[in-house]
Amino acid sequence: MTNFIRKITPNAKDDVLAGITTSFAMVPEVVAFAFVAQIDPLVALSGAFIVGLIAAIFGGRPGLITGAAGAVAVIFVTMISEGHTKGMLFDNPVENMGFFYLFACVILMGIIQVFAGVFKLGKFVRLIPHPVMMGFVNGLAIIIFWAQVKMFSHKSLVVSSDGVKEYVTTFMTGTELYIMIALVAFTMAIIWILPKITTKLPASLTAILITTFLVVFTGMEVSTVGSYIIEGGGTGLKGEFPTPNLELWQNLPINLDTFAFILPYAFLAASVGLIESLMTMNLVDELTETRGDGNRECIAQGAGNIVSGLFGGTGGCGMIGQTVINIKAGGRGRLSGVVMAVSLLTFILFTDKLIEQVPIAALIGVMFVMVIQTFAWSSFRILKKIPKSDAFVLITVSAVTVIYDLAIAVFVGVIISALSFAWESAKRIRARKMTLEDGTRVYEVWGPLFFGSITEFNDKFDIKNDPKNVVIDFIESRVSDHSAIEAIYNLVNKYEAEGKTVKLKHLNEDSKILLYKSNPKFRDIVIDDVDDPRYNLANDPDAFTKGLSDI
């Protein structure tokens, strides 16, 4: 698949067809996440249009698809519920106040993301290790797969005896289930077989259209986009062109209490959104062998969320599933993302009745193929070949992504990787001991000196039995942090307490600066006039000529 993707050259036709294909796959995903967040599907679709359009035009990664993603939507569930409660406690109670808090939170989320881009925080995505990236991809593939499995069900509204409304999910059985599975398999078969016959037709879009025509003309009773929206409490796909939400400013109290209430959710949503977007960008970079601009993507995502909140839409971020579908369909340029967003708007304004007839099975088939292509199957093969710590990180990130959320998974993965690296680096500290003719004891230190290696460093020295003069040679070492400085300072004090003299030599300039800033005492024990023996050739301009004459 990777080789196939790399061979595709960007052109307008591919971008347009890829954008349309992706928009079909976007609808049920966005609607499902709207149900999770307990908001109107049209609010989520409007947000997907606005964020997707702005990110496609101004983002740092052409081909990356942005929409109202579940990773962000889940964060808003508690806030909306608590917001409804807060609204009823006002002096003039406001119903559904949680939605107004949602729009304000999305605006603040966007502002945080813009600042992240302005201060160039997007570059920190480079610090994410490859095992974390593989775990992220695998975890999201599992989440997307399970989200499709849940669509083999129906939702019904049940009112309890005390008046509480809740949706009850019942999974399909019997003939309905078998027809659903058959249509999914039929869609997947078209996607796999069509490229072997011709590459002029987009496989996913063709599969959706053929399956839809089959269902419509045979009159099959199956779950469709329209029935799915209605079951979730929506009224259909029909909507209006997004306009500024003036009710937001009329009902939302602009004060510190509101800011304090939405800030934690906005910060978490901004973090999760940027992490998923930037890691999806990294995946596209690998697939296409190109490089995106992370900081520009942060600003574009933020701007999209700000506008979405102002127009009464929900927040969004990069969507790995739809992005992979777009890339596989040939989408490379910004036009593919623009067409996806415009197609969503077209569905809402003009073609709602047609799109509502698309069977959910066709879209599930497309998503199943995407999951198969997204999951890093090579991770099973390499688990026994890579370091155990990397294998542990890969599995942990996948599990945490599925059980908790993406942000926690990435942070956990990076922390474990950093600690593992520190542990391995700490074991690399070495010290070679020798005695000069004048009786001076010399310790040649090798390896990085930092917080993880100071214990090993201290164990190398024999303070009580060493002679009066001691030299610590840092020819192959580097003082990295405050812990290293303190270790050296304490070591020098221990030698001096025994009446012995210590000198430090061959420190690089960065290490000297650290030591001199920390304590002026180091200026008296650091030997500055000692040349690095490894660079005598460079220090003696005649050495090269002399060497040639000797030969």
Side-chain angles (χ1 to χ4, degrees), residues 47-90:
F49 158 68
I50 295 171
V51 179
L53 182 65
I54 293 176
I57 296 174
F58 302 106
R61 175 67 267 179
L64 189 150
I65 299 299
T66 301
V72 172
V74 171
I75 296 170
F76 297 137
V77 175
T78 303
M79 185 198 69
I80 293 173
S81 176
E82 293 180 0
H84 289 334
T85 303
K86 284 175 68 70
M88 298 308 295
L89 298 177
F90 290 167

Side-chain angles (χ1 to χ4, degrees), residues 50 73 87 131 164 215 316 330 424 448 458 463 481 498 527:
I50 295 171
V164 178
V215 169
E424 292 298 322
N458 289 327
I463 299 173
D481 58 12
E498 295 289 332
I527 305 175

Side-chain angles (χ1 to χ4, degrees), residues 30-212:
V30 171
V31 170
F33 294 144
F35 294 156
V36 170
Q38 299 177 3
I39 59 178
D40 189 330
L42 290 175
V43 171
L45 288 168
S46 297
F49 158 68
I50 295 171
V51 179
L53 182 65
I54 293 176
I57 296 174
F58 302 106
R61 175 67 267 179
L64 189 150
I65 299 299
T66 301
V72 172
V74 171
I75 296 170
F76 297 137
V77 175
T78 303
M79 185 198 69
I80 293 173
S81 176
E82 293 180 0
H84 289 334
T85 303
K86 284 175 68 70
M88 298 308 295
L89 298 177
F90 290 167
D91 294 336
N92 297 314
V94 179
E95 292 186 0
N96 297 323
M97 188 65 202
F99 296 138
F100 297 110
Y101 281 121
L102 168 65
F103 303 142
C105 184
V106 171
I107 294 171
L108 182 57
M109 165 191 172
I111 293 172
I112 294 172
Q113 291 177 327
V114 169
F115 276 112
V118 170
F119 289 104
K120 302 189 182 302
L121 299 183
K123 63 185 178 183
F124 287 106
V125 73
R126 302 174 196 166
L127 298 178
I128 297 177
H130 190 65
V132 176
M133 184 68 187
M134 293 186 74
F136 154 80
V137 170
N138 290 350
L140 281 186
I142 294 171
I143 290 174
I144 294 171
F145 170 79
W146 185 242
Q148 307 315 306
V149 172
K150 289 180 178 178
M151 290 188 179
F152 287 80
S153 63
H154 292 291
K155 293 180 181 178
S156 56
L157 184 63
V158 176
V159 181
S160 62
S161 57
D162 55 356
V164 178
K165 298 180 180 180
E166 62 177 347
Y167 285 97
V168 176
T169 300
T170 55
F171 280 89
M172 298 177 182
T173 58
T175 304
E176 183 183 24
L177 176 61
Y178 300 143
I179 293 175
M180 187 81 162
I181 294 174
L183 290 175
V184 170
F186 178 67
T187 304
M188 295 175 69
I190 295 174
I191 295 173
W192 287 115
I193 296 172
L194 185 61
K196 296 181 171 89
I197 301 173
T198 177
T199 57
K200 293 183 179 180
L201 297 174
S204 296
L205 180 57
T206 303
I208 292 171
L209 293 176
I210 291 176
T211 305
T212 302

